[in-house]
Amino acid sequence: MTAPATPLRSALAVLSGGWVPIRSLARRHRRRILAHLLALAPADRYLRFGYAAGDSQIERYALSLDFGRDEVLGIFNRRLEIVAMAHLAFSQGGPEADTAEFGVSVLQRYRGRGLGSRLFQLACLHARNRNMRFLLIHALSENQAMLRIAEKAGAWAEEVAEGSVSARLHLPADSWASHAEQALEQGLGELDFRLKVQAKQVQDFVDSVQTEVRELLGDDRAPAPPPDPT
């Protein structure tokens, strides 16, 4: 089971450098969401959707996201591109009304940084604070990274079909501390995004000035690309 949520835990993670800012996404981010999903390599599309999703199928998925019902969480780099994303889907009723389903995608060059684990932890927190009792994970059996994250959190496999696994994680009840932690995460994620927006505006201005100077000097050399940290 995941560790109890506390705002102190999030604050300590920020101070220790082991924290990655995550922002809740809305309808206005749909274009960036689509760009992220289309940038997934064919093998990653297969792991994310369970089949070899084509561009048109991914576009339909992005356009069908219901931001009023579900929650979508994203991690941005300094170019304001979504490099990792989680979709937390909530049932509208029926036997799964107390269960949220989790799906995640991470661009290949950002693998190995713990982004999927961070998204999973925050998705658990959001689901818990919406009074969900369980988090459901459907994964292909070859998606070992996702299965390891679920197993480490304490999820159990409730169904193993040919080539796929369905795992379920029991979530603790929400508390004032879990809501405080979510508010802290959201505030810091929003602050990080705004700082990245301002930094990109400054960089775009500098790039435009450098381009004009090169044109005046007759220098056709392209500028060196900036570093690409998250």
Side-chain angles (χ1 to χ4, degrees), residues 10-162:
S10 288
L12 289 175
V14 173
L15 294 174
S16 67
W19 179 81
V20 177
I22 297 174
R23 193 177 193 273
S24 293
L25 305 181
R27 290 179 179 86
R28 64 182 177 277
H29 301 115
R30 201 185 295 274
R31 178 180 58 82
R32 286 192 171 99
I33 291 172
L34 177 59
H36 163 75
L37 295 172
L38 290 175
L40 293 174
D44 295 329
R45 293 186 183 192
Y46 179 68
L47 292 179
R48 173 60 183 87
F49 295 102
Y51 62 94
D55 290 356
S56 60
Q57 292 167 312
I58 287 178
E59 184 174 1
R60 284 196 296 271
Y61 166 80
L63 293 175
S64 70
L65 288 171
D66 187 341
F67 295 95
R69 181 193 65 201
D70 299 342
E71 293 193 43
V72 184
L73 305 170
I75 298 175
F76 290 83
N77 64 11
R78 292 188 181 181
R79 292 197 291 269
L80 302 183
E81 300 165 333
I82 297 174
V83 300
M85 187 190 88
H87 180 193
L88 195 58
F90 296 92
S91 174
Q92 293 181 307
E96 296 289 345
D98 61 353
T99 301
E101 185 175 344
F102 174 80
V104 67
S105 55
V106 180
L107 293 183
Q108 190 171 18
R109 65 183 181 275
Y110 288 88
R111 298 280 177 80
R113 305 187 189 186
L115 304 187
S117 295
R118 268 287 291 148
L119 286 165
F120 183 80
Q121 292 167 1
L122 194 58
C124 288
L125 181 66
H126 279 236
R128 173 184 177 185
N129 287 340
R130 284 183 59 165
N131 297 315
M132 296 292 106
R133 293 184 59 206
F134 302 100
L135 191 73
L136 184 63
I137 306 103
H138 293 297
L140 296 174
S141 56
E142 59 200 85
N143 193 349
Q144 291 299 310
M146 184 67 253
L147 294 177
R148 280 195 298 269
I149 291 173
E151 183 180 9
K152 184 177 179 180
W156 69 93
E158 62 175 11
E159 183 179 353
V160 180
E162 184 177 357

Side-chain angles (χ1 to χ4, degrees), residues 23 80 189-201:
R23 193 177 193 273
L80 302 183
E190 179 66 26
L191 175 62
D192 172 82
F193 183 79
R194 291 182 180 182
L195 291 174
K196 285 176 178 174
V197 168
Q198 293 174 1
K200 186 175 185 301
Q201 290 172 342

